[in-house]
Amino acid sequence: EIVLTQSPATLSLSLGERATLSCRASQSVSSYLAWYQQKPGQAPRLLIYDASNRATGIPARVSGSGSGTDFTLTISSLEPEDFAVYYCQQRRKWPLTFGGGTKVEIK
Amino acid sequence: EVQVLESGGGLVQPGGSLRLSCAASGFTFSSYGMHWVRQAPGKGLEWVSSATSSGDNTYYADSVKGRFTISRDNSKNTLYLQMNSLRAEDTAVYYCAKGTVTTMLYFDYWGQGTLVTVSS
């Protein structure tokens, strides 16, 4: 099973700041990695797929990068709606796996 | 508008069974892989099971293999999850999710979830 480790667990930032979230895989997943956002009481939303492709309707301030075992989700300037929990997910091998999540909170 | 709507959750005793349903609309259901993902209270996301567009191929997490069965009825645009031999650790919100068009293995539309509580 491919284990995804996200860091940090919590990120405390202010509006307008840059958020950088990390996801590290226990073995190479090539570029087969997605990012999701989840707000309290809501279902997750797909943000990024195949490491760097924005899903439909996702703003340009959200970007993804990386390949192999190290991936980054960047939000260039935090807006109020960006404070949430973010998960990475790999599709390289069964079973599909998620990271443990990073919470982005208001400082 | 794409919609997926789960139903069938509730309180069940350990060892019991439950069948979840997911009604889909707004897309050609028979063309997409579909999935179940769960989230225990206060915890992260856990993939549970997937079915290809035809339903001919199914996949399971080790934690549910042999106890859960995924199926679909493309004539009814509905996905199912039959859950047997339920355990306390199966307590979670169960989400139904649609696979993406380029690959079925990401989840681009999710339902609001149905809560399954396993307790005596």
Coordinates of all heavy atoms in Angstrom, one line a residue, chain A residues 41-101:
Chain A
G41 N -18.6 19.9 7.6 CA -19.9 19.5 7.3 C -20.2 19.4 5.8 O -21.3 19.2 5.4
Q42 N -19.1 19.5 5.0 CA -19.3 19.3 3.5 C -18.5 18.2 3.0 O -17.6 17.7 3.6 CB -18.8 20.6 2.9 CG -19.6 21.9 3.2 CD -19.2 23.1 2.4 OE1 -18.5 23.0 1.3 NE2 -19.6 24.3 2.8
A43 N -18.9 17.8 1.8 CA -18.1 16.8 1.1 C -16.8 17.3 0.5 O -16.8 18.6 0.3 CB -19.0 16.2 -0.1
P44 N -15.8 16.5 0.3 CA -14.6 17.0 -0.3 C -14.9 17.5 -1.7 O -15.9 17.2 -2.4 CB -13.7 15.8 -0.4 CG -14.3 14.9 0.7 CD -15.7 15.1 0.7
R45 N -14.0 18.4 -2.2 CA -14.1 18.9 -3.6 C -12.7 18.7 -4.2 O -11.7 19.1 -3.7 CB -14.4 20.4 -3.5 CG -14.4 21.1 -4.9 CD -15.0 22.5 -4.8 NE -14.0 23.5 -4.2 CZ -13.9 24.7 -4.6 NH1 -14.7 25.2 -5.6 NH2 -13.1 25.6 -4.0
L46 N -12.7 18.3 -5.5 CA -11.5 18.0 -6.2 C -10.9 19.4 -6.7 O -11.6 20.2 -7.3 CB -11.8 17.2 -7.5 CG -10.6 16.9 -8.4 CD1 -9.6 16.1 -7.7 CD2 -11.1 16.2 -9.7
L47 N -9.7 19.6 -6.3 CA -9.0 20.8 -6.7 C -8.0 20.6 -7.9 O -8.0 21.3 -8.9 CB -8.1 21.4 -5.5 CG -8.9 21.7 -4.2 CD1 -7.8 22.1 -3.2 CD2 -9.9 22.8 -4.5
I48 N -7.1 19.6 -7.7 CA -6.0 19.4 -8.6 C -6.0 17.9 -8.9 O -6.2 17.0 -8.1 CB -4.7 19.8 -8.0 CG1 -4.6 21.2 -7.7 CG2 -3.5 19.3 -8.9 CD1 -4.5 22.2 -8.8
Y49 N -5.7 17.5 -10.2 CA -5.6 16.1 -10.6 C -4.3 15.9 -11.4 O -3.8 16.9 -12.0 CB -6.8 15.5 -11.3 CG -7.1 16.2 -12.6 CD1 -6.6 15.6 -13.8 CD2 -7.8 17.3 -12.7 CE1 -6.8 16.2 -15.0 CE2 -8.1 17.9 -13.9 CZ -7.6 17.3 -15.1 OH -7.8 17.9 -16.3
D50 N -3.8 14.7 -11.4 CA -2.5 14.5 -12.0 C -1.4 15.5 -11.7 O -0.7 16.0 -12.6 CB -2.7 14.3 -13.5 CG -3.3 13.0 -13.9 OD1 -3.4 12.1 -13.0 OD2 -3.8 12.8 -15.0
A51 N -1.3 15.8 -10.4 CA -0.3 16.7 -9.8 C -0.4 18.1 -10.1 O -0.2 19.0 -9.2 CB 1.1 16.2 -10.2
S52 N -0.9 18.5 -11.3 CA -0.8 20.0 -11.6 C -1.9 20.5 -12.4 O -1.9 21.7 -12.8 CB 0.5 20.2 -12.4 OG 0.5 19.5 -13.6
N53 N -2.9 19.7 -12.7 CA -4.1 20.1 -13.5 C -5.2 20.6 -12.6 O -5.7 19.8 -11.8 CB -4.5 19.0 -14.4 CG -3.5 18.6 -15.4 OD1 -3.2 19.3 -16.3 ND2 -2.9 17.4 -15.2
R54 N -5.6 21.8 -12.8 CA -6.8 22.3 -12.0 C -8.1 21.7 -12.5 O -8.3 21.7 -13.7 CB -6.8 23.9 -12.1 CG -6.0 24.6 -11.0 CD -6.3 26.1 -11.1 NE -5.8 26.7 -12.3 CZ -4.6 27.1 -12.5 NH1 -3.7 27.0 -11.6 NH2 -4.3 27.6 -13.7
A55 N -8.9 21.3 -11.5 CA -10.2 20.8 -11.9 C -11.1 22.0 -12.3 O -10.8 23.2 -12.1 CB -10.8 20.1 -10.7
T56 N -12.3 21.7 -12.9 CA -13.2 22.7 -13.3 C -13.6 23.7 -12.2 O -14.0 23.3 -11.1 CB -14.5 22.0 -13.9 OG1 -14.1 21.1 -14.9 CG2 -15.4 23.0 -14.5
G57 N -13.5 24.9 -12.5 CA -13.9 26.0 -11.6 C -12.9 26.3 -10.5 O -13.3 27.2 -9.7
I58 N -11.8 25.7 -10.5 CA -10.8 26.0 -9.5 C -10.0 27.3 -9.9 O -9.5 27.3 -11.0 CB -9.9 24.8 -9.2 CG1 -10.7 23.6 -8.8 CG2 -8.8 25.2 -8.1 CD1 -11.6 23.8 -7.6
P59 N -9.9 28.3 -9.0 CA -9.2 29.5 -9.4 C -7.7 29.3 -9.6 O -7.1 28.4 -9.0 CB -9.5 30.4 -8.2 CG -9.8 29.5 -7.0 CD -10.4 28.3 -7.6
A60 N -7.1 30.3 -10.3 CA -5.7 30.2 -10.7 C -4.8 30.4 -9.5 O -3.6 30.0 -9.6 CB -5.4 31.2 -11.7
R61 N -5.3 30.9 -8.4 CA -4.4 31.0 -7.2 C -4.1 29.7 -6.6 O -3.1 29.6 -5.7 CB -5.0 32.0 -6.1 CG -6.3 31.4 -5.4 CD -6.8 32.3 -4.3 NE -7.9 31.8 -3.6 CZ -9.1 31.8 -4.0 NH1 -9.4 32.4 -5.1 NH2 -10.1 31.3 -3.2
V62 N -4.8 28.6 -7.0 CA -4.5 27.3 -6.5 C -3.7 26.6 -7.5 O -4.1 26.5 -8.7 CB -5.8 26.5 -6.2 CG1 -5.5 25.1 -5.7 CG2 -6.7 27.3 -5.2
S63 N -2.5 26.0 -7.1 CA -1.7 25.3 -8.1 C -1.1 24.1 -7.4 O -0.9 24.0 -6.2 CB -0.6 26.2 -8.7 OG 0.3 26.7 -7.6
G64 N -0.7 23.1 -8.2 CA -0.1 21.9 -7.7 C 1.2 21.6 -8.5 O 1.3 22.0 -9.7
S65 N 2.2 21.0 -7.8 CA 3.4 20.7 -8.5 C 4.0 19.4 -7.9 O 3.5 18.9 -6.8 CB 4.4 21.8 -8.4 OG 4.7 22.0 -7.0
G66 N 5.0 18.8 -8.6 CA 5.7 17.7 -8.1 C 5.5 16.5 -9.0 O 4.7 16.4 -9.9
S67 N 6.3 15.5 -8.7 CA 6.2 14.2 -9.3 C 7.1 13.2 -8.5 O 7.9 13.6 -7.7 CB 6.7 14.2 -10.8 OG 8.1 14.5 -10.8
G68 N 6.8 11.9 -8.8 CA 7.5 10.9 -8.0 C 7.0 10.7 -6.6 O 5.9 10.1 -6.4
T69 N 7.7 11.2 -5.6 CA 7.3 11.1 -4.2 C 7.0 12.4 -3.5 O 6.5 12.3 -2.4 CB 8.4 10.3 -3.4 OG1 9.6 11.1 -3.4 CG2 8.6 8.9 -4.0
D70 N 7.3 13.5 -4.1 CA 7.1 14.8 -3.4 C 6.2 15.7 -4.2 O 6.5 16.1 -5.4 CB 8.5 15.4 -3.2 CG 9.3 14.7 -2.1 OD1 8.8 14.6 -1.0 OD2 10.4 14.2 -2.4
F71 N 5.2 16.2 -3.5 CA 4.2 17.0 -4.2 C 3.9 18.2 -3.3 O 4.0 18.2 -2.0 CB 2.9 16.2 -4.4 CG 3.1 15.0 -5.3 CD1 3.6 13.8 -4.8 CD2 2.9 15.2 -6.7 CE1 3.8 12.8 -5.7 CE2 3.2 14.1 -7.6 CZ 3.6 12.9 -7.0
T72 N 3.4 19.3 -3.9 CA 3.1 20.5 -3.2 C 1.8 21.1 -3.8 O 1.6 21.2 -5.0 CB 4.2 21.6 -3.4 OG1 5.5 21.0 -2.9 CG2 3.9 22.9 -2.6
L73 N 1.0 21.5 -2.9 CA -0.2 22.4 -3.2 C 0.1 23.8 -2.7 O 0.4 23.9 -1.5 CB -1.5 21.8 -2.5 CG -2.7 22.6 -2.8 CD1 -3.2 22.4 -4.2 CD2 -3.9 22.2 -1.8
T74 N -0.1 24.7 -3.6 CA 0.2 26.1 -3.2 C -1.1 26.9 -3.5 O -1.7 26.8 -4.5 CB 1.4 26.7 -4.1 OG1 2.5 25.9 -3.9 CG2 1.6 28.1 -3.7
I75 N -1.4 27.8 -2.5 CA -2.4 28.8 -2.6 C -1.7 30.1 -2.5 O -1.2 30.4 -1.5 CB -3.5 28.6 -1.6 CG1 -4.1 27.2 -1.6 CG2 -4.7 29.6 -1.8 CD1 -5.1 26.9 -0.5
S76 N -1.7 30.9 -3.6 CA -0.8 32.0 -3.7 C -1.2 33.1 -2.7 O -0.3 33.8 -2.2 CB -0.7 32.5 -5.1 OG -2.0 32.9 -5.5
S77 N -2.5 33.4 -2.5 CA -2.9 34.4 -1.6 C -4.2 34.0 -1.0 O -5.3 33.9 -1.7 CB -3.1 35.7 -2.4 OG -3.6 36.8 -1.6
L78 N -4.2 33.7 0.3 CA -5.4 33.0 0.9 C -6.6 34.0 1.0 O -6.5 35.1 1.4 CB -5.0 32.6 2.3 CG -4.2 31.3 2.4 CD1 -3.6 31.2 3.8 CD2 -5.0 30.1 2.0
E79 N -7.7 33.4 0.5 CA -9.0 34.1 0.6 C -9.8 33.4 1.7 O -9.4 32.3 2.2 CB -9.8 33.9 -0.7 CG -9.1 34.5 -1.9 CD -9.3 36.0 -2.0 OE1 -10.2 36.5 -1.4 OE2 -8.4 36.6 -2.7
P80 N -10.8 34.1 2.3 CA -11.6 33.5 3.4 C -12.1 32.0 3.1 O -12.1 31.2 4.0 CB -12.8 34.4 3.5 CG -12.3 35.7 3.0 CD -11.3 35.4 1.9
E81 N -12.5 31.8 1.9 CA -13.0 30.4 1.5 C -11.9 29.3 1.4 O -12.3 28.2 1.3 CB -13.8 30.5 0.2 CG -13.0 30.9 -1.0 CD -13.0 32.4 -1.2 OE1 -13.2 33.2 -0.3 OE2 -12.9 32.8 -2.4
D82 N -10.7 29.7 1.6 CA -9.6 28.7 1.5 C -9.3 28.0 2.8 O -8.5 27.1 2.8 CB -8.3 29.4 0.9 CG -8.5 29.9 -0.5 OD1 -9.3 29.3 -1.2 OD2 -7.8 30.9 -0.8
F83 N -9.8 28.5 3.9 CA -9.5 27.9 5.2 C -10.4 26.7 5.3 O -11.6 26.7 5.4 CB -9.8 28.9 6.3 CG -8.8 30.1 6.3 CD1 -9.1 31.2 5.6 CD2 -7.6 29.9 6.9 CE1 -8.2 32.3 5.5 CE2 -6.6 31.0 6.8 CZ -6.9 32.1 6.1
A84 N -9.7 25.5 5.4 CA -10.3 24.2 5.2 C -9.2 23.2 5.5 O -8.1 23.5 5.8 CB -10.9 24.1 3.8
V85 N -9.6 21.9 5.3 CA -8.7 20.8 5.4 C -8.4 20.3 3.9 O -9.4 20.2 3.1 CB -9.3 19.6 6.2 CG1 -8.3 18.5 6.3 CG2 -9.6 20.1 7.7
Y86 N -7.2 20.0 3.7 CA -6.8 19.6 2.3 C -6.2 18.2 2.4 O -5.4 17.8 3.3 CB -5.7 20.5 1.8 CG -6.3 21.9 1.5 CD1 -6.4 22.8 2.5 CD2 -6.8 22.2 0.3 CE1 -7.0 24.1 2.3 CE2 -7.3 23.5 0.0 CZ -7.5 24.4 1.1 OH -8.0 25.6 0.8
Y87 N -6.6 17.3 1.4 CA -6.1 15.9 1.4 C -5.5 15.7 0.0 O -6.0 16.1 -1.0 CB -7.3 15.0 1.5 CG -8.0 15.0 2.9 CD1 -9.1 15.8 3.1 CD2 -7.5 14.2 3.9 CE1 -9.8 15.8 4.3 CE2 -8.1 14.2 5.2 CZ -9.3 15.0 5.3 OH -9.9 15.0 6.6
C88 N -4.4 14.9 0.0 CA -3.9 14.4 -1.2 C -4.4 12.9 -1.4 O -4.7 12.3 -0.4 CB -2.4 14.5 -1.3 SG -1.5 13.7 0.0
Q89 N -4.3 12.4 -2.6 CA -4.8 11.1 -3.0 C -4.0 10.6 -4.2 O -3.9 11.3 -5.1 CB -6.3 11.1 -3.3 CG -6.9 9.7 -3.7 CD -7.5 9.7 -5.1 OE1 -8.0 10.7 -5.6 NE2 -7.3 8.6 -5.8
Q90 N -3.6 9.3 -4.1 CA -2.9 8.7 -5.2 C -3.7 7.7 -6.0 O -4.6 7.0 -5.4 CB -1.5 8.1 -4.8 CG -1.7 6.9 -3.8 CD -1.9 5.6 -4.6 OE1 -1.6 5.4 -5.7 NE2 -2.5 4.6 -3.9
R91 N -3.5 7.6 -7.3 CA -4.1 6.6 -8.1 C -3.1 5.7 -8.8 O -3.5 5.0 -9.7 CB -5.0 7.3 -9.1 CG -4.3 8.0 -10.3 CD -5.3 8.4 -11.4 NE -4.7 9.1 -12.5 CZ -4.3 8.5 -13.6 NH1 -4.3 7.2 -13.7 NH2 -3.8 9.2 -14.6
R92 N -1.9 5.7 -8.3 CA -0.9 4.9 -9.0 C -1.1 3.4 -8.9 O -0.9 2.6 -9.8 CB 0.5 5.3 -8.5 CG 1.7 4.5 -9.0 CD 1.9 4.7 -10.5 NE 3.0 3.9 -11.0 CZ 2.9 2.7 -11.4 NH1 1.7 2.0 -11.3 NH2 4.0 2.0 -11.8
K93 N -1.5 3.0 -7.7 CA -1.8 1.6 -7.4 C -3.0 1.4 -6.5 O -3.3 2.3 -5.7 CB -0.5 1.0 -6.7 CG 0.7 0.8 -7.5 CD 1.8 0.1 -6.7 CE 3.0 -0.1 -7.5 NZ 4.1 -0.7 -6.7
W94 N -3.6 0.3 -6.7 CA -4.6 -0.1 -5.7 C -3.9 -0.6 -4.4 O -2.9 -1.3 -4.5 CB -5.5 -1.3 -6.3 CG -6.3 -0.9 -7.5 CD1 -5.9 -1.2 -8.8 CD2 -7.5 -0.2 -7.5 NE1 -6.9 -0.7 -9.6 CE2 -7.9 0.0 -8.9 CE3 -8.4 0.4 -6.6 CZ2 -9.0 0.6 -9.3 CZ3 -9.5 1.1 -7.0 CH2 -9.8 1.2 -8.3
P95 N -4.5 -0.3 -3.3 CA -5.7 0.4 -3.0 C -5.4 1.9 -3.2 O -4.3 2.4 -2.9 CB -6.0 0.1 -1.5 CG -4.6 -0.2 -0.9 CD -3.8 -0.8 -2.0
L96 N -6.4 2.6 -3.6 CA -6.3 4.1 -3.6 C -6.2 4.6 -2.2 O -6.8 4.0 -1.3 CB -7.6 4.7 -4.2 CG -8.0 4.2 -5.6 CD1 -9.3 4.8 -6.0 CD2 -6.9 4.4 -6.6
T97 N -5.3 5.5 -2.0 CA -5.0 6.0 -0.6 C -5.0 7.5 -0.6 O -4.7 8.2 -1.5 CB -3.7 5.5 -0.1 OG1 -2.6 5.7 -1.1 CG2 -3.8 4.0 0.1
F98 N -5.4 8.0 0.6 CA -5.4 9.4 0.9 C -4.3 9.7 2.0 O -4.0 8.9 2.8 CB -6.7 9.9 1.5 CG -7.9 9.9 0.6 CD1 -8.7 8.7 0.4 CD2 -8.2 11.0 -0.1 CE1 -9.8 8.8 -0.5 CE2 -9.3 11.1 -1.0 CZ -10.1 9.9 -1.2
G99 N -3.9 11.0 2.0 CA -3.0 11.4 3.0 C -3.9 11.8 4.3 O -5.1 11.8 4.2
G100 N -3.3 12.1 5.4 CA -4.0 12.3 6.6 C -4.6 13.7 6.7 O -5.4 14.0 7.6
G101 N -4.2 14.6 5.8 CA -4.8 15.9 5.7 C -4.0 17.0 6.4 O -3.2 16.8 7.3

